[in-house]
Amino acid sequence: MTQGNNFAWPVTTLCKFDYYALKKVVEENDSKFRAKKIIIMGAGIRGIAFSLLMAKLGYGVTAFTDNNEVKVGGRINELPILAFDEIRKMKDECIVLISVENGIALKKQLEEEGFAENEDYFYVENHLYERYLEEFLRKDGFETLIMGDCGITDISKEDSEFANLGEMLKKDMGEKKIKVLAVHAMGMRAYYHILSAQVHYITKPRKVVIMANFETFTGTQHMLPRSQHAKLIEMVSDSIHNRDEALLEYVGVTRERFEQFKVDYFTSSQDTLNKMTSGRNDRIVIRMNYMYDLREDNENIQYMKKIISLCGENGIKLFFFIPPVNYQYAKELYGDKFFELYEKNVEKLKNIAAEGECSVLDLSYLLGSCQFADVHTIDETTNYEGRILVKAQLIQQINSMG
């Protein structure tokens, strides 16, 4: 067994566009992937998802590599995380898959060491940002704007029905009546700036629905590189010719934060590392994402209030929705302590919304464990059966707004 800290994130969901993009790359280059060792560059959440996707497609991954020195020498379950120096020596016997989003710097790093694109390494692009921007710019008379993260875009790794929640909502409500702007790990500050640009420069919706995922309100989530989407924010700003000064300033903020690669749940402190077990890290993730003390001075709370003001000033009907939580699994791990701490945060969020005279649709206990991406999942993403139930609740609430 590989020694060292296990940096495996309990990934139970997949971005469907990652699946299709990776599938296309490996099938078109099957002989290359069969002939060499496969190394995933980027030992983070997307890298772990890539390893699951490769297994689903029938390819074995040999190892990970990462520029974060804290992770080097550790592992993702049974797979070692190697230093890039070791990968350099393996050039003739391996193929590198870049899993990091906006991985231009990693492409440059590989090419400086003689790795050729589409021969020695592959950079898999899902064009998620291009899809998002196209939806942002659409003006065909929609009434409702829905904003959220991977709970809207992703599917279970066990699903056979690949329609995500956003697609299901558009199908049932009508493609032209609803606009869905969603991408993983996005928080209230990004929602605010994108919503403001939408209202002032594209089309003002009558109704706005925003996902309030408790992970985004933690004290560190808004600083993580994977939460920045610096390129996407820049694309949105460029699309309105950089006329929104606050959005343009935010472009700079996301660039700066993205460069802080060492800010990570599992590498931000020695205390966290010491508490990691040799197996799944579910207890740590549930505690960090749901059982913390929600503070009103948190950046995302402040921007939630700005969203409420923005909608009020523009006569837009607004509600936030709290996605389902896998409370059955959380209770298994923490007992009633989970409910005690989680419900305090729910109450705080509802009070903030009430102060702004908008509502919260609380779907916390809507689903059982079997309706999530996995019975042991630690995030809000559901399977197809669960998405049907969430969709019905959202449509009912939207229609009740008149």
Side-chain angles (χ1 to χ4, degrees):
M1 181 176 181
T2 303
Q3 299 301 309
N5 287 313
N6 184 10
F7 292 94
W9 192 274
V11 172
T12 56
T13 65
L14 302 173
C15 170
K16 61 180 292 181
F17 301 116
D18 277 345
Y19 174 76
Y20 287 125
L22 188 58
K23 184 174 185 289
K24 183 174 186 292
V25 165
V26 297
E27 288 183 350
E28 289 179 353
N29 298 275
D30 178 74
S31 60
K32 295 175 184 175
F33 281 92
R34 299 286 181 196
K36 294 187 175 184
K37 297 176 180 178
I38 300 171
I39 309 295
I40 294 179
M41 192 171 197
I45 292 176
R46 194 165 184 249
I48 297 167
F50 268 36
S51 69
L52 295 174
L53 286 169
M54 291 299 284
K56 196 177 184 75
L57 293 167
Y59 300 85
V61 173
T62 299
F64 287 81
T65 186
D66 201 284
N67 287 329
N68 185 340
E69 294 178 1
V70 176
K71 290 186 176 183
V72 171
R75 57 192 170 90
I76 300 294
N77 296 322
E78 300 301 319
L79 298 176
I81 304 173
L82 306 177
F84 182 69
D85 282 346
E86 294 184 58
I87 305 305
R88 183 190 294 116
K89 297 172 186 176
M90 296 167 57
K91 176 180 172 296
D92 294 333
E93 55 185 291
C94 74
I95 280 182
V96 177
L97 270 175
I98 297 177
S99 67
V100 177
E101 292 170 309
N102 196 21
I104 304 301
L106 300 184
K107 289 181 62 175
K108 182 179 179 182
Q109 179 181 354
L110 287 164
E111 288 171 0
E112 286 177 349
E113 297 298 332
F115 287 78
E117 186 169 13
N118 299 329
E119 288 292 336
D120 305 312
Y121 82 88
F122 290 84
Y123 178 39
V124 180
E125 296 185 88
N126 58 23
H127 302 290
L128 193 61
Y129 289 174
E130 289 83 354
R131 298 172 195 270
Y132 189 107
L133 186 65
E134 181 181 1
E135 182 77 343
F136 171 80
L137 294 171
R138 182 163 63 87
K139 292 185 177 182
D140 53 5
F142 72 96
E143 296 181 352
T144 303
L145 171 63
I146 296 182
M147 305 183 78
D149 62 18
C150 55
I152 293 176
T153 62
D154 284 12
I155 60 174
S156 165
K157 65 183 178 69
E158 304 299 335
D159 274 335
S160 55
E161 295 283 351
F162 274 22
N164 61 32
L165 179 59
E167 292 167 329
M168 294 167 71
L169 286 165
K170 292 176 88 170
K171 180 180 179 181
D172 280 27
M173 296 189 69
E175 182 80 21
K176 293 187 176 181
K177 290 186 177 181
I178 183 172
K179 177 180 285 196
V180 178
L181 297 177
V183 69
H184 60 275
M186 191 170 272
M188 293 292 164
R189 186 169 183 178
Y191 296 154
Y192 168 75
H193 287 296
I194 293 169
L195 175 59
S196 179
Q198 179 74 203
V199 168
H200 294 120
Y201 300 104
I202 308 298
T203 303
K204 184 170 73 173
R206 288 184 54 241
K207 306 172 188 177
V208 169
V209 180
I210 296 183
M211 183 176 178
N213 182 354
F214 278 102
E215 177 187 353
T216 67
F217 297 108
T218 65
T220 57
Q221 195 270 355
H222 65 284
M223 295 296 295
L224 297 177
R226 65 186 176 86
S227 304
Q228 304 313 313
H229 299 290
K231 181 61 178 176
L232 175 60
I233 302 301
E234 181 181 6
M235 289 166 66
V236 170
S237 185
D238 286 346
S239 74
I240 59 169
H241 308 291
N242 299 314
R243 288 177 288 176
D244 187 319
E245 291 186 8
L247 175 59
L248 189 57
E249 180 183 355
Y250 185 51
V251 170
V253 170
T254 58
R255 284 177 187 158
E256 181 179 346
R257 288 178 174 178
F258 179 77
E259 292 171 0
Q260 298 176 12
F261 283 104
K262 292 190 179 182
V263 180
D264 188 284
Y265 276 136
F266 293 159
T267 61
S268 58
S269 72
Q270 190 60 45
D271 179 61
T272 299
L273 290 174
N274 291 340
K275 291 178 181 177
M276 291 172 62
T277 69
S278 60
R280 293 169 62 99
N281 300 307
D282 299 31
R283 284 182 60 85
I284 290 177
V285 179
I286 287 175
R287 176 173 56 78
M288 293 178 71
N289 286 358
Y290 298 109
M291 299 171 66
Y292 59 92
D293 180 23
L294 180 63
R295 296 169 54 93
E296 285 210 30
D297 61 357
N298 177 275
E299 176 179 289
N300 278 288
I301 291 294
Q302 297 303 309
Y303 277 89
M304 178 182 175
K305 293 179 179 179
K306 286 178 177 286
I307 289 170
I308 293 171
S309 296
L310 174 65
C311 288
E313 291 164 3
N314 286 276
I316 298 170
K317 297 177 181 179
L318 166 71
F319 77 85
F320 297 89
F321 78 94
I322 299 172
V325 59
N326 192 353
Y327 66 92
Q328 292 174 333
Y329 184 43
K331 182 178 181 179
E332 180 183 326
L333 295 178
Y334 282 101
D336 290 338
K337 188 68 174 178
F338 168 78
F339 298 100
E340 176 188 339
L341 297 176
Y342 174 71
E343 289 177 2
K344 282 183 181 179
N345 286 340
V346 171
E347 190 64 26
K348 288 179 182 178
L349 205 65
K350 288 181 177 179
N351 288 339
I352 291 167
E355 289 172 5
E357 300 183 346
C358 70
S359 62
V360 172
L361 175 63
D362 184 4
L363 303 181
S364 294
Y365 304 130
L366 177 68
L367 306 180
S369 289
C370 64
Q371 292 163 322
F372 283 86
D374 183 270
V375 293
H376 295 136
T377 194
I378 46 74
D379 65 26
E380 74 289 345
T381 305
T382 62
N383 62 22
Y384 186 69
E385 179 186 353
R387 294 197 293 277
I388 290 174
L389 298 175
V390 173
K391 175 197 67 176
Q393 292 290 316
L394 288 173
I395 291 176
Q396 180 179 337
Q397 183 74 5
I398 290 168
N399 288 339
S400 73
M401 298 169 76

